[in-house]
């Protein structure tokens, strides 16, 4: 618990530094590209177009039913896809955030727990832009802004907490054993097909045990919450309050473990230079 409190204090006390370093991170990653930061938008847009071509033309999928509404499959997919991109990129970059900056750590004087935070925030800004683009597109497709959009504030905060908690664990373990990062990359690629991004998990209604096992994945909670907000179907975190309790219980456990590992081993990180 002391480790968790210490990490939280470091985030609060150095929040201004986190914001500045996150903006610097975006600029340095794209400084050698002619299109610069536009690639941060273009890359996920290309991926979305590929899925549109496959599922919208070659193998057109039937609309997905949500709360009695029939949602065109591509709209249903897009509502969650950019959240997946944010989760995937932030988790992968957060995992290698410390060991890829060990040389910088030997010259800088700020808490190491700040490093995963500013890396995640650099991806968070891109997510906000993509979220804004998605909202604009949905206005043209007939899914207008509604009161349920207020849920985005909650689910964005929940996503940040989950990603940071995971990154505390993986960034520590990846610094000690580099193979952890490679394993995480493989696991996340598999999760794309197990998180309800590309297909509705309601297809497993006849297999309730498998469906409940899949819901142990906290990303499904965030994805379904995003869709509930976009399509105005329900206050997801209230109507599924048991799932909400499970999600925050899991985040708390991951954060406690991550904080302990990070504080326990960070004084030795420089030994892996």
């Amino acid at each position: 618990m002391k480790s968790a409190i210490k990490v939280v204090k470091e985030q609060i006390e150095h929040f201004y530094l986190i914001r500045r370093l996150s903006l610097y991170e975006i600029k340095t990653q794209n400084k050698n590209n002619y299109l610069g930061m536009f690639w941060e938008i273009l890359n996920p847009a290309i991926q979305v177009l590929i899925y549109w071509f496959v599922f919208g033309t070659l193998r057109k999928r039937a609309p997905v039913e949500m709360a009695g509404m029939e949602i065109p499959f591509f709209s249903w997919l897009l509502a969650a896809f950019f959240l997946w991109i944010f989760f995937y990129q932030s988790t992968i970059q957060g995992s290698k955030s410390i060991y890829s900056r060990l040389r910088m750590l030997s010259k800088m004087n700020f808490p190491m727990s700040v490093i995963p935070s500013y890396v995640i925030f650099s991806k968070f800004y891109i997510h906000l832009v993509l979220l804004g683009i998605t909202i604009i597109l949905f206005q043209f497709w007939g899914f207008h802004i509604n009161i349920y959009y207020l849920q985005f504030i909650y689910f964005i905060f929940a996503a940040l907490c989950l990603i940071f908690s995971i990154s505390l664990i993986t960034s520590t373990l990846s610094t000690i054993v580099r193979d952890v990062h490679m394993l995480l990359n493989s696991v996340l690629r598999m999760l794309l097909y197990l998180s309800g991004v590309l297909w509705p998990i309601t297809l497993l209604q006849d297999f309730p045990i498998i469906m409940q096992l899949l819901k142990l994945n906290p990303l499904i909670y965030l994805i379904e919450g995003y869709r509930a907000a976009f399509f105005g179907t329900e206050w997801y975190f209230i109507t599924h309050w048991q799932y909400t309790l499970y999600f925050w219980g899991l985040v708390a456990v991951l954060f406690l473990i991550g904080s302990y590992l990070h504080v326990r081993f960070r004084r030795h990180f420089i030994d892996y230079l």
Side-chain angles (χ1 to χ4, degrees):
M1 183 62 75
K2 290 182 179 179
S3 299
I5 295 173
K6 187 173 185 177
V7 170
V8 170
K9 285 183 177 179
E10 289 173 351
Q11 307 311 303
I12 296 173
E13 292 173 358
H14 295 86
F15 185 68
Y16 176 73
L17 178 64
I18 291 171
R19 288 192 293 116
R20 291 202 51 187
L21 288 175
S22 62
L23 293 173
Y24 178 76
E25 178 79 5
I26 297 175
K27 294 177 182 177
T28 54
Q29 283 185 342
N30 299 280
K31 66 180 180 181
N32 295 323
N33 301 327
Y34 285 111
L35 295 180
M37 288 185 286
F38 183 65
W39 277 110
E40 300 287 349
I41 309 297
L42 189 59
N43 272 329
I46 291 173
Q47 293 183 54
V48 166
L49 287 175
I50 292 173
Y51 285 116
W52 169 80
F53 181 70
V54 173
F55 297 120
T57 58
L58 293 182
R59 302 188 65 177
K60 193 169 184 178
R61 295 286 189 90
V64 178
E65 185 173 332
M66 289 184 63
M69 298 171 54
E70 286 197 343
I71 311 295
F73 181 81
F74 183 68
S75 300
W76 178 87
L77 170 66
L78 189 62
F81 188 75
F82 288 141
L83 172 62
W84 161 256
I85 291 291
F86 172 50
F87 177 82
Y88 175 78
Q89 292 182 345
S90 298
T91 306
I92 287 296
Q93 294 300 319
S95 171
K96 65 178 184 179
S97 60
I98 292 179
Y99 78 73
S100 62
R101 293 166 176 81
L102 283 176
R103 294 188 182 277
M104 180 186 73
L105 289 175
S106 62
K107 304 175 184 178
M108 303 298 287
N109 185 25
F110 54 78
M112 292 185 186
S113 64
V114 165
I115 297 176
S117 292
Y118 82 72
V119 170
I120 293 169
F121 258 79
S122 69
K123 300 302 178 184
F124 172 61
Y125 296 138
I126 305 302
H127 177 62
L128 289 181
V129 174
L130 293 173
L131 182 63
I133 293 173
T134 305
I135 291 173
I136 292 172
L137 288 174
F138 275 24
Q139 305 315 298
F140 292 102
W141 296 346
F143 301 106
H144 303 297
I145 294 176
N146 57 77
I147 189 64
Y148 296 100
Y149 268 47
L150 292 174
Q151 292 179 98
F152 281 126
I153 300 172
Y154 165 78
F155 283 109
I156 287 173
F157 175 73
L160 287 171
C161 291
L162 175 64
I163 295 168
F164 180 66
S165 300
I166 294 173
S167 295
L168 277 177
I169 298 174
T170 57
S171 62
T172 301
L173 297 180
S174 295
T175 303
I176 300 171
V177 182
R178 299 290 194 271
D179 294 38
V180 171
H181 177 71
M182 301 303 296
L183 176 63
L184 178 67
N185 198 5
S186 299
V187 170
L188 287 180
R189 291 181 185 276
M190 179 179 65
L191 276 182
L192 173 62
Y193 302 97
L194 298 176
S195 300
V197 178
L198 302 178
W199 56 277
I201 61 172
T202 51
L203 292 177
L204 297 175
Q205 284 181 343
D206 295 333
F207 306 94
I209 296 178
I210 298 177
M211 188 172 176
Q212 291 303 316
L213 288 175
L214 283 179
K215 282 190 172 184
L216 294 177
N217 175 6
L219 188 57
I220 291 181
Y221 174 78
L222 300 175
I223 286 172
E224 293 301 314
Y226 260 54
R227 285 178 174 143
F230 270 122
F231 303 122
T233 56
E234 60 183 336
W235 296 102
Y236 189 83
F237 65 97
I238 296 176
T239 55
H240 300 268
W241 61 269
Q242 299 99 327
Y243 203 7
T244 299
L245 292 178
Y246 164 76
F247 174 84
W248 285 110
L250 180 62
V251 169
V253 171
L254 292 174
F255 181 68
L256 289 173
I257 295 173
S259 299
Y260 173 78
L261 291 174
H262 178 82
V263 174
R264 172 70 175 79
F265 290 103
R266 66 181 176 183
R267 67 172 64 93
H268 304 295
F269 284 163
I270 203 67
D271 297 336
Y272 297 94
L273 184 63

